Amino acid sequence: MNPIPPADPQNSMPRWMVFLFACACGLMVANLYYAQPLISLIALEVGLDASAASLIVTLTQLGYCTGLMLLVPLGDLLENRKLVVLTICGAIIALLMATLSQTATWFLISACLIGIGSVAVQMLLPIAANMTPEKKRGSTIGSIMSGLLLGIMLARPIASLVADSFGWRTVFGASAILLMVFAIILWILLPIRKPQSKVSYFSLIGSLWMLLRDTPVLRRRALYQASLFASFTLFWTITPILLSAPPFNLTQQEIAFFAFAGAVGVLAAPIAGRLADRGYTKITTLFSLAIGSGAFLLALLAGNSGSLALLVVSAILLDLGVQSNVVLGQRTIYLLGAEVRSRLNALYMAIFFAGGAIGSGIASVAYIYGGWSLVAWLGFAFPALGLIFFLTE
């Protein structure tokens, strides 16, 4: 097996393959979020105490972070196609375990393994970057990220709707079947790429700290996105609670449709990628951070006035900012060298998902003690701090 040749400077990935990557990424990342609206249903059926029910989400996120740091860097060491498909197979086994779990212990183990297996999505992105010439890399990554971010946005409402009609086990079982199909397709269609690195696994993992220490552009791009993703998870953790209470009084199904409306922001990712390809990375970053902060000023006004329309607009604007900036960051770090691309992507994702964990972690406390106003001001503050940091660049 020979490694695939460098990207042809005249060609990019065919559109059908970009679409395939986008669908695969969206489906895989959605596994991290299916359980969030279903916690009470799952806990009741598997015998998990209410006080420990949040472990379902926590262990899934911890599993994902573990996979980011320990598995994704292997893309710089092992043959990429085999690595991706084997990782997806791990996710399939974990999803089937969740579907069949009868006890809390088995479900929590499966939740952690689902998180680990879902990092296959972060193995596909460097492959796409390797297959695409620099002048088209931004638009390609942007289009694929549209699928990934759409998966994040739609996982919760889809899980709610499916569980309401067919039960929560159907959500995990259906995802396992879809992943089986995509694993076969990716095995057939992915090119073979064998990295040239000969270092040991432990040296590879040890190099992560040196890359973070010696790559200031990686630290900056990761912190910009972490500030936006913290506000994103803060917003989407509390918004369902806000919408179910007066003055909105929406049903669970109506809240699901609200999330579908917010997903319109997915259109920003390919646009941001094209702007970056044309040399407008800095101005688009400024726009992304500014619009992320501004969205929460609208959200504050929406909460105070009871305007559902304003809240929808704020959700769309926030998603625009988050989705455009993540593409800008990935395009920038992918320029730093193909031989370290998987490790750079692992660090970038781990840092910005840590920001998301901070946002969701403080959301409930902020809402309990300060209501929607405190949530909105915190949501404003995260990207505002990122913007101030950006201005020092």
Side-chain angles (χ1 to χ4, degrees), residues 34-323:
Y34 287 140
Q36 291 186 4
L38 310 178
I39 288 176
S40 59
L41 297 176
I42 296 170
L44 181 66
E45 194 164 330
V46 301
L48 186 63
D49 187 81
S51 61
S54 62
L55 281 174
I56 294 171
V57 176
T58 302
L59 288 174
T60 304
Q61 296 292 335
L62 285 175
Y64 191 69
C65 289
T66 300
L68 281 173
M69 302 308 294
L70 299 182
L71 292 184
V72 173
L74 286 170
D76 292 333
L77 186 63
L78 303 179
E79 197 281 302
N80 286 189
R81 182 182 67 164
K82 187 179 295 183
L83 178 64
V84 168
V85 173
L86 285 176
T87 306
I88 293 175
C89 288
I92 293 168
I93 293 170
L95 287 163
L96 292 174
M97 283 176 57
T99 305
L100 300 173
S101 291
Q102 300 297 322
T103 66
T105 300
W106 276 108
F107 189 87
L108 291 175
I109 292 172
S110 68
C112 184
L113 294 176
I114 286 170
I116 294 173
S118 296
V119 299
V121 65
Q122 302 304 337
M123 299 170 180
L124 278 177
L125 289 166
I127 293 175
N130 191 73
M131 295 171 63
T132 309
E134 182 181 326
K135 67 178 182 178
K136 297 181 180 179
R137 191 168 292 151
S139 59
T140 298
I141 295 300
S143 297
I144 295 171
M145 285 301 296
S146 294
L148 185 149
L149 294 163
L150 199 60
I152 293 175
M153 286 298 306
L154 299 184
R156 297 180 187 92
I158 288 175
S160 294
L161 294 173
V162 172
D164 188 52
S165 300
F166 305 103
W168 65 266
R169 294 181 188 274
T170 304
V171 176
F172 296 96
S175 182
I177 293 170
L178 288 171
L179 277 187
M180 289 178 196
V181 174
F182 271 93
I184 295 169
I185 293 173
L186 290 171
W187 178 257
I188 294 170
L189 296 179
L190 277 182
I192 295 170
R193 177 178 180 264
K194 179 71 171 77
Q196 301 303 309
S197 177
K198 302 298 182 182
V199 300
S200 69
Y201 173 72
F202 293 106
S203 297
L204 187 81
I205 299 303
S207 69
L208 291 172
W209 163 247
M210 290 182 287
L211 278 174
L212 183 62
R213 181 194 64 193
D214 299 335
T215 316
V217 66
L218 168 65
R219 296 196 300 271
R220 279 190 170 271
R221 295 307 320 187
L223 287 173
Y224 299 157
Q225 187 59 23
S227 70
L228 277 166
F229 205 56
S231 65
F232 178 87
T233 58
L234 180 78
F235 181 91
W236 287 106
T237 298
I238 297 301
T239 300
I241 300 173
L242 175 74
L243 292 173
S244 64
F248 299 105
N249 296 312
L250 298 190
T251 65
Q252 191 64 38
Q253 190 175 54
E254 289 169 335
I255 292 171
F257 283 116
F258 175 88
F260 284 125
V264 172
V266 76
L267 299 173
I271 296 172
R274 293 186 185 96
L275 289 171
D277 286 339
R278 295 173 184 174
Y280 297 114
T281 296
K282 285 194 172 183
I283 189 65
T284 312
T285 301
L286 177 66
F287 170 81
S288 299
L289 292 166
I291 202 173
S293 288
F296 274 94
L297 296 180
L298 271 182
L300 178 63
L301 181 59
N304 292 337
S305 64
S307 172
L308 183 60
L310 275 180
L311 200 60
V312 169
V313 172
S314 66
I316 293 172
L317 291 177
L318 178 61
D319 293 348
L320 284 170
V322 171
Q323 296 181 24

